[in-house]
Amino acid sequence: GERYGEYSKGDKIAEYGLTALVAGGAAVVLAKSGLLGKLLKPLLSFQTQGQKPNPIIDALADDVAGFRVGEIEKAIMREAKASTVPKNSSREDGDVTWSIWDENSIYHFQTSILTPYSHMDAVLAELRPISGQTFVDLGTAYGRPGILIGAHYPQLQFVGYEFVPQRAAESQRVLRSLGMNNAQVIEQNLNAANFRPVLGDYYFIYDYGSTQAIKKSLQDILEVTAGRKVTVIARGPRTGYIVKSEFPAFKARGQVGEGSFGSQIFSTR
C-alpha cells in the first residue's frame, strides 16, 4: 500500500513554508497571527470549483486555516527516529501504518498524501448529502474534510478519527480556533478491540493502515449501522479492493477521480 515513506523526497519548500512560497513574507506573518483565517472560505471556494487538485493551493489553505503541518511532522519525525524502530523500516501501530521519513518528505506528505480539498468537494457533490447527515473519516490525519465541511457544509456533521496524537491535537486546535462546531477530530486507535465508530451516513477510508485494520473498520461500519443505508468512500487501491472482494454487502455506485488516488463509492442499498 501507499505509505508515507514510500513517496519520493521533496525539497526544502516545506522548511520555509508554503505560504511564503505563494504569497510572500507578509502573508506568512498574517497566517501565523490568524488574521488570514477570514480568507479560508473564499480560498476553498477558489480551489473547489471543478478544478483539478492544486497541491500548492491545498497547502496554502492549510496555512490559512492555521495548521502547523511542517512543525508537527518534524516533531513526529524526531520522535520516530528516537524510537526503537530501525531507520527506513515500517511499523504498524494498530490502525496506522507509517514509516520514518526525512525532513524533505514533509512537503510530499502535505501535497501528495493528504486528500485534496477539491477532491473531497467533488466527492461531496457526488454524494449530495442532506441536512443533518454525518460524514465520518477513518484515519483523518489533519481533518481536511472537516475543514471543508465546516466552511461549506454547515448543515452536516463531521467526525474524524486519527491515531497519531500530535495530528489529532492539531486538528482539534484548528477546528476550535475557526469555530467549526459541526466538525470534530478524535484521537483513536481504530484497531482497538472495543472501539466502534459513531453512527454515520458516510464513511471515508483512505488506505489508512494495515489490511487487517481496514477489514475491521468495514465490519465495524456494518455493525454500527445495523441494516441502515450507509455509504463507504474508498480512496486508494487497497480499501477499494478489500470492499469489492470481501464485503458483498457494499455495492459499487460510482467513482470520483481517476487512478489509484480516485475514490470508489459503495453503498449498502
Side-chain angles (χ1 to χ4, degrees):
E2 278 96 30
R3 298 175 177 175
Y4 301 154
E6 292 175 359
Y7 284 81
S8 59
K9 293 183 180 180
D11 51 32
K12 289 291 183 180
I13 291 176
E15 182 176 344
Y16 303 112
L18 284 158
T19 302
L21 172 69
V22 178
V28 176
V29 174
L30 290 174
K32 289 183 177 179
S33 72
L35 296 177
L36 281 181
K38 295 179 181 179
L39 297 178
L40 179 62
K41 190 169 182 177
L43 181 62
L44 290 179
S45 295
F46 173 79
Q47 168 68 339
T48 60
Q49 292 176 353
Q51 297 187 20
K52 292 183 179 180
N54 184 326
I56 299 299
I57 297 296
D58 279 319
L60 178 59
D62 288 341
D63 283 345
V64 170
F67 284 112
R68 304 169 298 181
V69 175
E71 177 183 337
I72 300 299
E73 292 304 313
K74 288 177 185 178
I76 295 170
M77 177 186 66
R78 288 193 296 269
E79 182 178 311
K81 286 185 175 180
S83 75
T84 58
V85 183
K87 186 175 181 180
N88 295 325
S89 69
S90 298
R91 149 185 167 183
E92 294 186 359
D93 275 324
D95 68 311
V96 67
T97 302
W98 56 276
S99 296
I100 296 174
W101 60 92
D102 62 29
E103 189 171 305
N104 290 328
S105 298
I106 294 173
Y107 171 70
H108 277 274
F109 169 77
Q110 191 172 12
T111 59
S112 300
I113 305 294
L114 299 180
T115 300
Y117 290 105
S118 57
H119 182 79
M120 286 307 311
D121 193 61
V123 167
L124 288 164
E126 178 71 19
L127 297 175
R128 291 181 291 179
I130 62 175
S131 180
Q133 290 189 316
T134 298
F135 190 98
V136 183
D137 186 1
L138 301 176
T140 196
Y142 288 94
R144 274 184 176 177
I147 297 294
L148 179 65
I149 287 171
H152 286 291
Y153 299 86
Q155 75 278 16
L156 303 179
Q157 296 295 313
F158 172 81
V159 179
Y161 294 101
E162 172 55 34
F163 176 76
V164 180
Q166 298 95 322
R167 293 176 189 153
E170 178 69 354
S171 302
Q172 294 161 0
R173 181 189 69 79
V174 169
L175 290 170
R176 284 195 304 268
S177 72
L178 294 172
M180 293 180 172
N181 298 322
N182 63 324
Q184 61 176 312
V185 171
I186 301 167
E187 179 189 338
Q188 179 63 52
N189 179 353
L190 301 179
N191 203 38
N194 61 350
F195 169 74
R196 298 294 182 275
V198 297
L199 178 64
D201 301 282
Y202 306 96
Y203 293 84
F204 182 75
I205 304 177
Y206 175 19
D207 284 4
Y208 68 79
S210 67
T211 297
Q212 178 185 356
I214 292 172
K215 289 180 182 179
K216 177 186 180 299
S217 288
L218 291 166
Q219 187 60 47
D220 289 346
I221 291 168
L222 291 175
E223 290 180 11
V224 298
T225 56
R228 290 182 50 186
K229 179 182 178 181
V230 61
T231 298
V232 167
I233 304 96
R235 185 166 190 245
R238 184 158 35 137
T239 301
Y241 175 78
I242 293 170
V243 174
K244 287 187 287 188
S245 62
E246 300 192 35
F247 288 84
F250 293 111
K251 309 300 182 185
R253 302 301 183 195
Q255 180 159 329
V256 175
E258 299 178 354
S260 61
F261 291 103
S263 288
Q264 300 175 71
I265 299 175
F266 303 88
S267 67
T268 53
R269 295 182 192 170

